[in-house]
Amino acid sequence: MQYSFSAKAQYRLAQITDCHLLASAEGVYKQVQPAAHLAAIVATLVTEQPDAVLLTGDLTQDHSAASYQLLAQLLAPLSCPVFCLPGNHDDIAMLQQLCQQAPFQPQRSLQLGDWQLLLLNSKGDTPAGAFPVAEQAWLQAQCRHSNAAAIWLFCHHHPAPLHCFIDKHGQQDAVALWQAIAAEPRIAGIGHGHAHYAYQSQQQGVTIVGCPASSVQFLATPDWQTKDDGPQWCDWYFAAEGSVSWQFRQLQLSRKFSSKSRQ
C-alpha cells in the first residue's frame, strides 16, 4: 500500500523521533517532560505546515495505552499526514491501531515526485535492531515495483556503528541490510532515530542521517549519558526531480529539571 503526494516542485517532511512519552503529560523521562517537548515541536509545525510528519520510533517510553492516547492528542492539531515506525520501546499492536485514525496513516511506502520513501520496521525481540527475512522481502518487492528515480529509507535503529554505548543496541542484521542496499543502486540514503544524536555520515556511497530526539540527546560516550538541549527534530526537503537536503532543528524552552543525568 502506497501513499502518493500531489505533484509539486519540493516536499518538506518533518522527522520526529524518540519522543519517549509516558502515560501522563506531566511524566518525566531523563529529567525532562517529553510531552512538553513534543507539544512545542507540533506548535511550530502547525505554523510551518510541512507536507508530512514521520515518527521514527520510541514514541512512548512505557508503551502504555495512555501514552499512545497522549501521542494522538498531542499530534491532533496537525493537518498533514503522519506516518509511524516502531522503535524498541513501542507496542506494535497499539501503534497499528493508532495509525487507523487521522492524522495518522498506515502506509510505509511514500511517493513524492521522483522519490520513493520506504519506511523499514527495524524492531526486534531485544532493544537492538533487526532486519528479518520478511522485512528483507518487503524491501526487495518495494524496490522491484518502484518506478522512482531515487529511493530513501527510514528506520528506527542506526544501521552502522557510532562507536559509543548505543552500538550494543544497534542493527544486529547490518550485513543483510547493507547487502540489500547494495543490491539497489537507487537507494541514496537512510535516515534513523534511536541514537538521540544528530549526525551525518557515508557508508558504501550511501548517506546516513541520524535525527536528534524530541526528548533528550545522548552523548557519544562509552557510558550512557543524556543531555537536555531542548526539543529537536529534522526537516527534510525532497525535490521532485531527485535532490534531497535536511536541516536539524532545535527549540529553546525554559527548563524545570536539571540538564544532565547519568546511568
Side-chain angles (χ1 to χ4, degrees):
M1 186 165 52
Q2 178 175 285
Y3 189 99
S4 296
F5 288 80
S6 300
K8 58 187 303 187
Q10 179 175 263
Y11 304 86
R12 177 191 164 202
L13 283 70
Q15 180 190 0
I16 304 174
T17 195
D18 297 275
C19 308
H20 289 278
L21 297 176
L22 296 114
S24 168
E26 288 73 39
V28 176
Y29 168 74
K30 299 301 173 187
Q31 299 180 296
V32 306
Q33 289 182 325
H37 280 204
L38 182 56
I41 294 173
V42 170
T44 299
L45 297 181
V46 167
T47 300
E48 297 179 352
Q49 297 188 12
D51 294 293
V53 169
L54 303 179
L55 302 180
T56 51
D58 279 3
L59 307 180
T60 84
Q61 169 66 15
D62 59 10
H63 44 264
S64 64
S67 66
Y68 285 101
Q69 292 170 1
L70 177 59
L71 178 65
Q73 175 185 337
L74 291 172
L75 270 65
L78 293 172
S79 57
C80 65
V82 178
F83 303 92
C84 300
L85 281 174
N88 45 287
H89 281 280
D90 287 307
D91 182 281
I92 294 287
M94 290 185 184
L95 195 57
Q96 288 176 339
Q97 183 177 3
L98 179 73
C99 288
Q100 301 305 312
Q101 63 185 72
F104 301 91
Q105 297 287 337
Q107 294 88 348
R108 293 203 291 147
S109 175
L110 316 181
Q111 185 76 41
L112 305 87
D114 284 342
W115 279 101
Q116 191 87 28
L117 309 189
L118 299 177
L119 314 185
L120 296 177
N121 178 0
S122 64
K123 180 177 172 63
D125 296 330
T126 72
F131 186 50
V133 172
E135 197 68 8
Q136 295 175 36
W138 180 83
L139 177 58
Q140 291 171 357
Q142 293 297 318
C143 292
R144 185 169 59 251
H145 295 114
S146 174
N147 294 320
I151 297 172
W152 197 278
L153 308 179
F154 284 94
C155 63
H156 178 67
H157 293 83
H158 58 295
L162 293 173
H163 309 293
C164 60
F165 80 95
I166 196 66
D167 284 345
K168 66 182 178 180
H169 300 314
Q171 174 56 259
Q172 298 302 294
D173 299 324
V175 171
L177 175 61
W178 284 101
Q179 286 176 343
I181 291 174
E184 177 48 78
R186 291 177 297 169
I187 296 178
I190 181 168
H192 68 85
H194 189 53
H196 293 233
Y197 177 55
Y199 77 99
Q200 62 187 68
S201 66
Q202 289 268 332
Q203 179 161 316
Q204 296 183 190
V206 173
T207 301
I208 306 173
V209 179
C211 181
S214 69
S215 53
V216 297
Q217 310 314 310
F218 291 168
L219 301 184
T221 51
D223 58 333
W224 184 16
Q225 299 184 49
T226 66
K227 185 179 181 182
D228 175 15
D229 282 331
Q232 298 189 45
W233 74 101
C234 184
D235 279 343
W236 291 87
Y237 300 90
F238 290 95
E241 95 298 339
S243 64
V244 58
S245 61
W246 54 90
Q247 177 184 13
F248 300 129
R249 302 283 303 277
Q250 179 179 9
L251 300 176
Q252 295 296 331
L253 300 181
S254 59
R255 295 190 177 100
K256 184 178 179 180
F257 303 97
S258 65
S259 62
K260 190 174 180 181
S261 63
R262 182 189 295 265
Q263 175 167 323

